[in-house]
């Protein structure tokens, strides 16, 4: 930004509960998340946002895990059904929010689990068919795919995501690896 006086930053932060035992999701929370996606994209439109970097993703398995850890549901089958219902609410809302903003380019990291974004149903990394969404995998400084990068049909490009010099709170620089380092390279 300091080298480009015409660039402006607008920050929107996703926050998750990082307690040892995160609370279980509920249908009410899924609906809250779905509405939040709609409202955030509306906010981006109102503020003429052109490019959004998203260094986050999650899938239905995260819901199943939280339900299980909290003892919600009679058994795994019931938890899977509950998790699927909540996840589909959020997945559909996020997809529709992106679709409603063709003037904004969304760039997301694919993931760092050496798996397939589509098989894991990561959102937004698994979304396909949106011309304004690009999913990014990670390569090293030689241009070779890293051992950790998530791949799949939705991963359209790769960028440096290995030992990327990154700023941490307070202004210090630390080398980090991940698709959360690769996607901002593309957004830039």
């Amino acid at each position: 930004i300091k080298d480009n006086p015409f660039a402006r930053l607008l920050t929107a932060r996703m926050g998750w509960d990082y307690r040892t035992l995160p609370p279980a999701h509920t249908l009410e929370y899924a609906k809250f998340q779905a509405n939040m996606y709609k409202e955030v994209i509306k906010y981006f439109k109102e503020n003429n946002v052109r490019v959004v970097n998203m260094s986050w993703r999650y899938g239905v398995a995260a819901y199943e895990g939280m339900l299980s850890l909290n003892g919600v549901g009679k058994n795994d089958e019931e938890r899977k059904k509950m998790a699927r219902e909540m996840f589909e609410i959020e997945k559909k809302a996020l997809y529709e929010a992106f679709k409603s903003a063709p003037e904004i380019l969304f760039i997301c990291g694919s993931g760092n689990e050496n798996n397939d974004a589509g098989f894991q149903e990561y959102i937004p990394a698994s979304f396909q068919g949106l011309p304004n969404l690009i999913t990014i995998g990670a390569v090293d400084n030689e241009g070779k795919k890293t051992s950790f990068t998530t791949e799949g049909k939705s991963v359209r490009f790769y960028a440096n995501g290995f030992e990327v010099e990154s700023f941490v709170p307070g202004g210090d620089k630390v080398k980090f690896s991940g698709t959360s380092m690769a996607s901002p390279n593309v957004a830039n």
Side-chain angles (χ1 to χ4, degrees), residues 98-113:
F98 288 168
K99 189 175 175 182
S100 77
E103 69 278 16
I104 301 174
L105 178 61
F106 297 94
I107 301 171
C108 69
S110 63
N112 306 314
E113 292 80 30

Side-chain angles (χ1 to χ4, degrees), residues 10 24 39 42 47 49 59 79 90 107 116 120 141 148 150 152 154 169 172 179 181 183:
L10 179 93
E39 292 299 316
K42 179 181 170 191
N47 286 279
V49 170
R79 283 187 285 275
E90 291 184 37
I107 301 171
D116 184 288
Q120 297 299 320
N141 53 7
F148 57 80
T150 292
S154 62
D172 291 336
T179 59
M181 279 69 248
S183 62

Side-chain angles (χ1 to χ4, degrees), residues 17-53:
D17 194 327
Y18 289 102
R19 289 182 273 178
T20 304
L21 180 61
H25 269 42
T26 63
L27 275 175
E28 292 76 26
Y29 185 73
K31 291 174 185 174
F32 169 82
Q33 287 285 102
N35 188 59
M36 180 269 302
Y37 290 138
K38 178 181 171 184
E39 292 299 316
V40 168
I41 300 305
K42 179 181 170 191
Y43 179 69
F44 286 167
K45 289 172 158 182
E46 290 169 353
N47 286 279
N48 299 312
V49 170
R50 304 297 298 145
V51 179
V52 175
N53 176 64

Side-chain angles (χ1 to χ4, degrees), residues 67-79:
L67 292 171
S68 180
L69 284 171
N70 284 279
V72 176
K74 293 182 289 192
N75 53 37
D76 286 343
E77 186 176 314
E78 184 177 58
R79 283 187 285 275

